[in-house]
Amino acid sequence: MEIPPAAAASCVDDVLITKELERRPRRAPDYAAENRAMAALARQLAADPHGVPRTLAELVLELCDAGSAGISLLEEQDGRRYFRWHAAAGLFADHPGGTIAFDVSPCGVVVDRNQTMLMRYGERCFAAMAGFDPPMIESLLVPLTAQGRAVGTVWVISHRPDREFDAEDARVLRNLADFAAAACQAVVALDETAEGRRELEQAAEERARVLAEHNRMLEHEIAQRRQADDALRASEQRYRDLIGAIPAGVVACDAAGTVVFHNACADALCGGPPGEAPACWGPEACANNGHRLENFTAPLREVLAGGQPIVDRELTIERPDGSRIDVLLTITPLRDHAGVVTGAVNIVQDITARKRIEDELRVSEQRFRTLANTVPVLIWQNDEAGRNVFVNQYYLDFTGKAFEDVMGMGWHELVHPDDAPAYIADYMDAVRTRRPWRNVDRVRRRDGQWRWFDSYGQPLFAPDGSYAGHVGASLDITDAVLAEQALKETDRRKDEFLAVLAHELRNPLAPISNAVHLLRHPDGRRRADRLVEMLGRQVRQMIKLVDDLLEISRITRDKIELHRQPLLLADVVHGAVETSRPLIDQHHHQLDVRLPDEALTLNADSVRLTQVLANLLNNAAKYTDQGGRITLEARRDGLEVEIAVRDNGIGIPAGHLPAVFDMFTQAHRAAGRGQGGLGIGLAMVRSLVQMHGGTVEAKSAGTGLGSEFVVRLPLAEPPDAAHDGAAAGAGTAPLAGQRILVVDDNQDAADTLAMLLDADGAQARAVYDGPSALTALPILRPHTVLLDLGMPDMDGLDVARRIRADPAWSGVRIVALTGWGQESDRERTRGAGFDFHLTKPVDLDVLHAWLGTTR
């Protein structure tokens, strides 16, 4: 296609935007694709050098994601310089061989300046670029050089506004331009050689026909042949020089595998002396050089024997000096006109540095991912538009989402609706301003729970300084937030309590102050009896307030020690009713007590448990209007007893139910129905019930609909009736008839306890370790085993589990002997099969009570 010349505009610099190559974000290099391209070019060069320019144009089109690509070489005829399209791909694929005048082509500017250039909308200066559909938006041109002189260009064109070239495109184009220059010169040399041969043959034929007539011109013809041979050798040498300049090892072999050509790069790669056949090649290379690793011999034989090429095979070779390198090998068979394999061309590229970099990158990436996936923190990375491009495993586990589901903008859906607008606005502002960012917000966990997170973000910049997004971490601070809220609530209740305390103390102080003034009055003596009674009543009220304060203080500081013993539930209930009866009668309430027919036994502190039920009855009396109904009902529920105290009083608002057991809380105070007091009674109830291993729950249908408090306590095993009879008739020997095994690694403790039990009439035996205890069982056949926990080798918990696992000892009762008495310790012994838990030193009265005897 001939493009007519036109006057070039003088505004070249107006369309040049070469500096944008370094300012634009640079895509990651794809060395593998580039290596494949080089190998493909080498194969094409070996098979058909004339096809190299077209192959190069097609590869450049793909590697640079361009719309058009091509190679333009500078030619000169009759003093006129012009560019010829030796190859084209994309939009101009159908126009190879076309020419354009040097002065009106952007290639002329590139050749003159011998620089890589990027142009945008070049038709503003070069009319020949106008009128194409789609238009040429960006053109990236790289000079082709031969012997230091620009002889043409390799170019790519973008026809899409959204496709902009970057520095990586320029680097790829420059690398392939070096190959293109060598390949094009090789093609020219081959063409020149072929043309020379044709001319020589024609001349020889002509000379043969007129040999008889032109014998006298024989010497001249011989000189011409010699000149042609010299030209042929020069052309072949130029071809060899060009192959030698290719930045890869090139080795040509004949059908026997003997090296017939090799370039300098092959010598350097294989470690052989320059000019000699590479030591790694040939049928006997392995044996001659003593190589322990695979070299090129095996794949070369494979190609020569089978005729199929080998493409991009990675090998690790050992050179004669013992050094090892990684190479990428491509072997292409050569065939004659009949298709017979006559040799092979081998292209070798040293990829040692690339492999090392790839390995280091893989190790670094794995180290980062392992670290990111190990920490219990949400780690994330967003791109320049705020879209997720990476999250760690904890992020996925926390949200319950798949990786692809949290990519893009979907992350904002995880933020609490109340927090999301400010959160997103602040983050996107940080993206726009490229600044660090921090925010505290709520994020939804996979189970639907909202968790508080403190999120940090830092801007991320590419090596060229361009903004690449934000990377950040989000730390779960829910516990800290809740603790802070709890502290604030505690402070609020403390302030409220102090105000209530002041109020409650002033209430009795006012009548006391009035009584003092009345006693000073002239007729005060006459009223003294009445005033003294009133003073006593008010003083008792103040004492009760102080006692309640001291009591709750002891409970919260774990200063109360329960004195547990077997108790009948009925005795505890009757004691509590007796305590609360005056207040109940004062308000004219009807009390209904319902107890089960069976005798239920508790292992409890009588005083404290009575205090719990009396407190619940007193509350029911205070918060029920005159003449109300109160019910105390107990029933067995498996291994527990459930005690419910119900009333038809003023009830509890639904919003106050969760806090009724909190310290200093009075649910009715806000409604103006408070009955005095400090709001600590129910807090004491909950603490004392929990100390007994039980639970307490408050229920109410709402204001005016009454209240119900339900206490659940574990039942104790009732004393053995046979033991009761034995104890009743034992007199001074309450344990008569009982066999007791004492197990303790402290021999003195075990012996003295056995003596004490013997003195009380028991048949007691002491052993000092776990195995001895198991051995003594079939001999003594004890009713009860007193078992120390902290013994070496086999501790008390293991011994108890062994006893419980044997059905032969299902009737044996096991009592823990330990210095640990917390509820967690009791849970451990219950879980191991113990019936009772005693702390050292053993309280024999408690033990006797549990055994159903009295000392």
Side-chain angles (χ1 to χ4, degrees), residues 9 16 91 114 157 339 346 374 382 405 413 429 602 673 695 700 734 744 771:
L16 286 179
L91 183 65
N114 197 14
I157 298 174
N346 312 269
T374 300
N382 292 345
D405 293 335
E413 298 175 357
D429 181 68
L602 302 170
R673 297 297 301 269
T695 61
S700 178
D744 196 330

Side-chain angles (χ1 to χ4, degrees), residues 133-153:
D133 184 20
M136 303 183 196
I137 296 177
E138 281 198 2
S139 304
L140 178 60
L141 304 94
V142 174
L144 280 172
T145 58
Q147 300 178 349
R149 183 173 61 88
V151 297
T153 64

Side-chain angles (χ1 to χ4, degrees), residues 613-675:
L613 297 182
N615 203 312
L616 295 178
L617 289 171
N618 287 343
N619 269 11
K622 286 195 296 182
Y623 295 111
T624 300
D625 292 335
Q626 293 280 335
R629 293 190 312 276
I630 300 173
T631 301
L632 189 155
E633 182 177 6
R635 68 180 186 88
R636 184 189 186 105
D637 185 10
L639 299 178
E640 292 183 327
V641 61
E642 180 182 284
I643 308 168
V645 177
R646 291 187 291 271
D647 62 62
N648 63 344
I650 63 176
I652 303 173
H656 292 171
L657 272 175
V660 293
F661 294 105
D662 291 345
M663 194 78 73
F664 314 132
T665 297
Q666 283 190 336
H668 306 292
R669 183 179 295 135
R673 297 297 301 269
Q675 297 289 326

